């Protein structure tokens, strides 16, 4: 297996609300896509939004469940100020702040929010190294 993630698909309860959150609230560019799914190109992969029940059915697993799902998506930025600004932007767009940004044990700075469907996002600044592709790549 080559080391990459091609797409992250989030199962959502209200596709229109989630599209609005990611497209208008966070400013992600949306690709043309069928009405039952939304795709957002990321720097090296895609984010997909699909109905929670339909995604569970496609995978052959139950759609029920809540609380901590055992994972977090992460978005790294170049400064503490950028972390604070993105957390503020996410909350203004309808996210719920779970953990305010603060210095963390490993020497960085991070905070967490959940999107309207409860998907956990970490927003972080790592002063020791850049994580992910360069921001100047389209």
């Amino acid at each position: 297996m080559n080391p990459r993630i091609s797409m992250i698909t989030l199962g959502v309860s209200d596709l229109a609300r989630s599209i609005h959150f990611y497209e208008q609230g966070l400013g992600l560019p949306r690709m043309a896509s069928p009405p039952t799914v939304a795709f957002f190109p990321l720097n090296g992969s895609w984010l997909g939004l699909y109905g929670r029940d339909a995604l569970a059915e496609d995978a052959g697993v139950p759609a029920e469940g809540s609380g901590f799902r055992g994972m977090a998506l992460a978005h790294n930025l170049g400064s503490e100020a950028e972390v604070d600004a993105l957390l503020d932007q996410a909350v203004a767009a309808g996210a719920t702040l779970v953990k305010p940004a603060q210095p963390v044990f490993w020497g960085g700075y991070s905070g967490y929010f959940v999107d309207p469907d409860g998907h956990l996002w970490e927003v972080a600044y790592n002063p020791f190294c850049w994580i992910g592709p360069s921001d100047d790549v389209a």
Side-chain angles (χ1 to χ4, degrees), residues 10 18 20-23 25-28 47 49 67-69 71-77 82-102 110-124:
L10 302 178
S18 293
H20 185 269
F21 175 78
Y22 284 99
E23 184 176 23
L26 295 185
L28 297 183
L47 175 67
L49 303 177
F68 182 58
R69 293 174 170 93
M71 67 164 282
L73 301 165
H75 184 77
N76 281 58
L77 295 162
E82 290 178 86
V83 169
D84 292 335
L86 182 54
L87 286 171
D88 289 345
Q89 180 182 353
V91 169
T96 301
L97 187 64
V98 173
K99 179 182 176 185
Q102 57 195 263
S110 74
Y112 286 85
F113 71 85
V114 292
D115 75 3
D117 282 281
H119 299 290
L120 186 63
W121 283 84
E122 178 188 22
V123 181

Side-chain angles (χ1 to χ4, degrees), residues 42-69:
L42 305 176
N43 193 356
S45 63
W46 288 7
L47 175 67
L49 303 177
Y50 194 55
R52 180 182 174 96
D53 291 340
L55 183 59
E57 181 181 336
D58 186 54
V61 299
E64 305 82 35
S66 64
F68 182 58
R69 293 174 170 93

